Amino acid sequence: MEPVLNTPETTPVIVGIGEFVDRPAQPADALEPLALMAEALRAANADAGGALLARIDSLELIGFITWRYADPVAQLCERLGIRPARAVNASSGGDAPIRLVHEAAVRIARGEQTVAAIVGGEAMNARTRARKDKLQLPWTPMPAKEASARFPSISYELNGLTRRLGVTDPAQIYPLYEMAAQAAWGQTPAQAQDESARLWAQYASVAARNPSSWNRQAPDAAAIGTVDAANRLINWPYPKLMVANPQVNQAAAVIVTSLALARAAGVPEERIVHIWGGADASEADDYLKRDRYDSSSAQTAVLQRAVDVAGGDAARFGKMELYSCFPVVPKMALRVLGLDPQRHPPSVAGGLTFFGGPLNNYMSHAVCAMVRALRAAPGELGLLYGQGGFVNRHHALVVGAQPAPAPLALDYSVQAAADAARGPVPALLEQYTGPAAVETYTVLYGRDGAPLYGVVVVRTPDGARTMAKVLADDEASLGLLLSTERSAVGSGGHIRIDPFGHPVWEAGAVARDRRQLARRYCKVEREGPLTIVTINRPDALNALHPDANAELAEVFDDFASDPEQWVAIITGAGERAFCSGNDLKFTATAMARGASIMPPVMGFAGLTGRFDRNKPVIAAVNGVAMGGGFEIALACDLIIAADNAQFALPEPKVGLAALAGGLLRLPTQVGLKQAMGMILTGRKVGAEEGMRLGFVNQVVPAGALMDEARRWAAEILACSPMSIRASLEIVRMGAEEGSLAEAHARQNKYPAVRALFKSDDVREGPLAFAQKRAPAWKGA
C-alpha cells in the first residue's frame, strides 16, 4: 500500500543538529574520527531534546579518510550504546550529506523508518601534525587495508591519459571549469579573479561569525586575491585562500524524523525545520568525457528543480549554502539561479576554505548552520546545494521553518532533464600528435610556489578532444596560460610526445624544432658519422635529473633517426665523473615540491630503456660511474675506461635499488656470482678489475680516453653500418628467443637483417673487395 502523504506521520523534518570541533594543543590529545562523530551525535540528540538517540533506527556514516576502521558505523554504535536496525557505512562526495538527508526524508515519508541520523567527521589536522612530529596517535588500532571498511563511491572513473598526466585531483580539475567559464562569460582572468576574491570574502565573513568554524580571521578580498608566500598558488588561478581546507578536526550530525514523532518527543515547533524537496543529477565520472566545461547540465537541472520546489522564484531563498570547494562552483550556481551574491548571500556556514573542509562532510555542517539560520528567521526559505567529486554529482534540498505547501516528492531525480540538455560529447583521443586549440587549461604549482607544468584540454581540427602538458621551460606557452589580461581559450598550437611518453602542447602555428633549442645538460658534437655526447653537469659529478634525462633521450632519438649518424660515444664533462647516477639532491627537492622524478620512457640518459637500439654506442668512462651512471655504461655496447674509473651499484646503501637495468644487465655480462658480489655489497670496482670481470673492454690513461674511444669508433665505422645494425639486432633479439635453434631460424626475418640484404652495402662490400679498394658505405 502506498503511504498517505502530507500527514504528520509522513512529513519529514530536521529536529536535531550537532557539531564538534577539536583543537588540542598537542596532536596526541586529539580525538579520533569516531570520537568526534560520537560527540556530534550526542550534541544533535541534545539539540532535539535528548530523547531521540536511543530511538534512531537508521544511522548513516559518511565516508571519511583520516583513519581506517574495520566497520566504523558498527564501532560508532558501540561507542554510543545504540542498536539501530539500519547502520550503513555510506558513500562519499561533497553532495553526500544532502543526499543522505533527502533519502532519509523519503524513507520517513514512505513510513519505512522513524528516526534517521546522518553523521560524518575528519581529524586530518591531528593526523598531519602527528606525521610531522613522527608521533603515533593513541587511537583505535588501525586494521590492515584489506580488512578495513571501504565506502561506496570513494573513487571515480578516470581514463589513462589523465592518470599519466597526473591530473586526477579535484584541486587540479576545478580550475579547468574556472578558466572555461571565464572565457564563456567574457571575463579576463583578472576580472574573474576579482569576482572570486570578493565572493570568497563573503564566505570568510560568515565563517568569522560561526562558532564551529576552523578559521575565523575573515580576510578581505584583497588578501584573498593577492598571491604571496603565505597565499601561494595551488593550481592556476587559485591561491591557497581559494581552495578547500581539509586540515581540520570537525564532525557534524543531523537527526531527521517525522513531524508526529517530533511533537511526541516534545520538540518545540519553532525548532523544527521542514524538508520541502529537492533534486539530484550527475555528470559522467570521467571529466574528459563531458560535453563542456563552462557549465554543467546536471547542476542546472538540479538548481532549476529546487527553484520549482520554492514556487518558481529563486529570490525566495533568503538563506543559501552553495557548495564552495572552489570559487567556480558557486559562481556557476549563482548564474543558474540568476542571483546577485551581494543581495543573496551564498553561505550560512562559511565555506570550505574558512569554515573548514572536512572532505565529504562539509554539507552536514551547512545543514546545521541552515537549521540555526531558519530557526532565527522562520519566515525565510533555505537552499542547500552540494557537489561531489569534480562537478560529478549534484544535489539540492529546499528547507524551511514553515511546512511545505505540497507533500514531499518521492522521486527527485532530474537526470533525464540533465541528459536531454547535454550537448554532444567530443571523441576522446588518448594518443594524438598535431595541431590543437585550447578548450580550457590550468597550471599546476609546486609547494614552493613555482609552476610544475601547465595542463591544457584541447580540440583537434576535427573536433576531437585530448589533453596535454605545457612544460615549465616553455616560457611562451606557459606565459600564454598565465596571462591575467587575456584568456588562452581558443589559442592554437601543436602536440608532440615528449621523452616521458606524455603529450606536450606548444603554442604557435608551427611546432618548435627541438634540435635547435639550446642544450642545458649535455653537449653534442658530430664528426662525420660519429656523434659524441658529453653529459655536462660537472659540478654535480654529471648526476642526472628528469630534465637532463629528457634532453639526453632527445639527443639519442635524433641519433637513432639520423641516417648520417652511425656510431655514438657518450662520456662525462670534467675529469672526476662519467656520471654519478641519479641526482639525489634534486630528487629530495623535487619530492618536497611535488614534482615528478620519473625517468623517460627510454630510461636513464635515454639509453637504459632503449631496447630497440641497433646503432652502436661506446661508453668512454672518465672517473666515477655510480648507480645510474654504471647502468648507462652497461647499456652501451663497449666500455672504454680511464684508469681512474670506478664502477658501483650503491643504491642499497641509500635505501634504493638499481632499477635502470643494472641488476639485469650485470649478471649477463660478468656471470651471476661476480655480479652478486657487486650488487649485494654496493662495493666499488676499479677499471682494471672491471676489465678482469669482463664488462670493460679496455683500460687507458685518463688523458688518452677520448682518443682511444674514437679509435674504437673508427674501427666500427670501417665496417658496413648496415652489417653492424644487423649484427647488433641478431645479438639482442636472438637472446630473447626461446633457444639457439629458434634464434638461428628466425634471424633472417629480423628488420635490420632484412634491411641489410636490401641495401646497397650488401653489394658494395664484395665489389670493393674484388676491386681491391676501400668500400664506400652508404648505410642504406
Side-chain angles (χ1 to χ4, degrees), residues 556 559 566-570 578 607-608 610-621 630-640 665 669 694-698 712-713 716 724-733:
F556 281 104
F559 168 68
W566 297 351
V567 180
I569 297 171
I570 183 169
F578 169 73
L607 283 172
T608 61
R610 195 177 291 271
F611 298 107
D612 61 348
R613 180 174 57 79
N614 60 18
K615 293 183 180 182
V617 178
I618 301 168
V621 179
F630 187 21
E631 291 177 289
I632 295 169
L634 289 171
C636 295
D637 302 294
L638 303 173
I639 297 178
I640 313 304
R665 288 187 170 100
Q669 295 182 24
F695 64 80
V696 172
N697 294 83
Q698 185 181 2
W712 279 88
I716 297 171
I724 293 296
R725 292 170 203 167
S727 299
L728 279 175
E729 200 161 272
I730 291 170
V731 171
R732 174 176 56 82
M733 296 181 69

Side-chain angles (χ1 to χ4, degrees), residues 287-353:
Y287 65 90
L288 287 186
K289 295 179 180 177
R290 298 180 187 170
D291 63 331
R292 59 196 305 151
Y293 299 106
D294 56 6
S295 64
S296 161
S297 62
Q299 182 195 58
T300 299
V302 162
L303 291 174
Q304 287 177 343
R305 174 61 63 86
V307 172
D308 292 342
V309 171
D313 183 5
R316 287 199 62 194
F317 294 129
K319 307 295 181 185
M320 294 194 298
E321 186 65 48
L322 302 181
Y323 200 69
S324 52
C325 51
F326 304 93
V328 70
V329 179
K331 288 199 295 186
M332 289 167 59
L334 286 163
R335 282 167 169 81
V336 171
L337 295 168
L339 298 178
D340 179 352
Q342 296 301 319
R343 296 173 58 191
H344 298 273
S347 180
V348 290
L352 282 86
T353 300

Side-chain angles (χ1 to χ4, degrees), residues 540-619:
L541 294 180
N542 296 320
L544 298 179
H545 50 43
D547 286 350
N549 276 316
E551 188 172 282
L552 286 160
E554 290 184 333
V555 166
F556 281 104
D557 283 345
D558 291 343
F559 168 68
S561 63
D562 188 343
E564 302 298 323
Q565 295 302 298
W566 297 351
V567 180
I569 297 171
I570 183 169
T571 191
E575 300 176 354
R576 300 168 60 199
F578 169 73
C579 174
S580 58
N582 184 41
D583 189 334
L584 294 179
K585 290 183 180 179
F586 174 89
T587 297
T589 301
M591 291 176 70
R593 66 187 298 259
S596 173
I597 58 173
M598 295 302 292
V601 173
M602 291 300 178
F604 218 61
L607 283 172
T608 61
R610 195 177 291 271
F611 298 107
D612 61 348
R613 180 174 57 79
N614 60 18
K615 293 183 180 182
V617 178
I618 301 168

